[in-house]
Amino acid sequence: MTWDWGAVADFMPYFWDGLWVTLQILVFGSLISFALGLVWALLMRAPTRWVTWPVGGLTEFVRNTPLLVQLFFLFYVLPEWGITFSAMTTGVFAIGLHYSTYTMQVYRAGIEAVPAGQWEAATALNLPLCRTWTVVILPQAVRRVVPALGNYVISMLKDTPLLMAITVLEMLGQARLFAQQNFQFTEPLTVIGVAFIVISYLASLALRALERRLVH
């Protein structure tokens, strides 16, 4: 086996297309997971079981079923009920929904870690419940959970190749397409392997910088 730099050069247009798709999945999937996770965490603190039980059941179901099964269900089953989205939209929503059940637990831990005195102080100042959450509780809670949220972003990045199963051509999908057309597998798969390592490393550096900024 010999390494072919020409194959690497030929693969690069495919790689850039796949990288762009991967980054879109990562960014929008992360935003959905962070937003939905916070919604689930807040709903789980509702005073009535009519809210907490359905939310708890839904999040447990999503967290305990494979992401690949959820992708297939959303992409292949929902159209039979007249609900159709593009492969990209389906993939982004699926990965965001799946990881929202994990970020929910992160938010829950962060909220519970806020000292009871903060709640008491907000009550003593007669702050409305909405301002208590947005001004006092959530800023402190989120600051505590940034490292855990960042770890899930990296995990999400490594799960993006699953979207190839519903025809989304992210980095692995483009590498597979190139390999099948040119019968060269080593070069494209090596390039995307290195790309995943580099992106994960850069994400971890950004996360550490954000942690230091929030601490200080």
Side-chain angles (χ1 to χ4, degrees):
M1 183 189 74
T2 58
W3 181 264
D4 186 353
W5 286 106
V8 174
D10 292 339
F11 171 63
M12 292 314 292
Y14 292 80
F15 169 75
W16 294 122
D17 289 343
L19 177 62
W20 173 239
V21 172
T22 295
L23 293 178
Q24 289 183 78
I25 296 168
L26 183 62
V27 170
F28 292 112
S30 297
L31 292 175
I32 291 173
S33 70
F34 293 162
L36 272 182
L38 182 57
V39 170
W40 302 144
L42 294 177
L43 288 177
M44 286 299 292
R45 297 181 65 88
T48 172
R49 293 180 180 178
W50 292 105
V51 174
T52 59
W53 282 11
V55 172
L58 173 63
T59 54
E60 285 297 318
F61 175 80
V62 172
R63 185 166 60 242
N64 290 296
T65 53
L67 174 57
L68 187 58
V69 173
Q70 295 165 18
L71 284 167
F72 281 160
F73 183 88
L74 292 174
F75 191 66
Y76 293 110
V77 177
L78 287 187
E80 296 182 2
W81 300 347
I83 304 173
T84 304
F85 299 101
S86 68
M88 182 69 171
T89 301
T90 301
V92 168
F93 177 74
I95 202 167
L97 174 64
H98 184 80
Y99 274 91
S100 73
T101 62
Y102 294 95
T103 59
M104 176 194 75
Q105 297 297 334
V106 173
Y107 285 124
R108 179 191 59 78
I111 292 170
E112 292 178 355
V114 175
Q118 298 295 314
W119 294 92
E120 295 168 358
T123 301
L125 292 172
N126 201 29
L127 287 180
L129 183 60
C130 181
R131 283 187 60 80
T132 298
W133 277 104
T134 57
V135 177
V136 180
I137 304 303
L138 287 181
Q140 296 183 63
V142 171
R143 188 179 298 116
R144 298 168 187 268
V145 301
V146 164
L149 292 177
N151 288 336
Y152 282 122
V153 172
I154 295 174
S155 296
M156 210 178 305
L157 168 67
K158 293 186 288 186
D159 274 347
T160 55
L162 290 174
L163 273 63
M164 182 179 62
I166 59 169
T167 73
V168 175
L169 291 178
E170 40 63 64
M171 286 196 293
L172 182 59
Q174 292 286 0
R176 182 185 179 189
L177 178 63
F178 176 86
Q180 290 175 338
Q181 292 176 347
N182 297 275
F183 303 101
Q184 292 175 299
F185 290 85
T186 302
E187 291 81 5
L189 292 176
T190 301
V191 169
I192 67 162
V194 172
F196 273 110
I197 293 173
V198 171
I199 296 172
S200 297
Y201 180 68
L202 293 176
S204 66
L205 291 181
L207 175 61
R208 292 172 192 166
L210 180 59
E211 286 183 59
R212 288 194 294 268
R213 184 172 181 179
L214 290 175
V215 168
H216 298 294

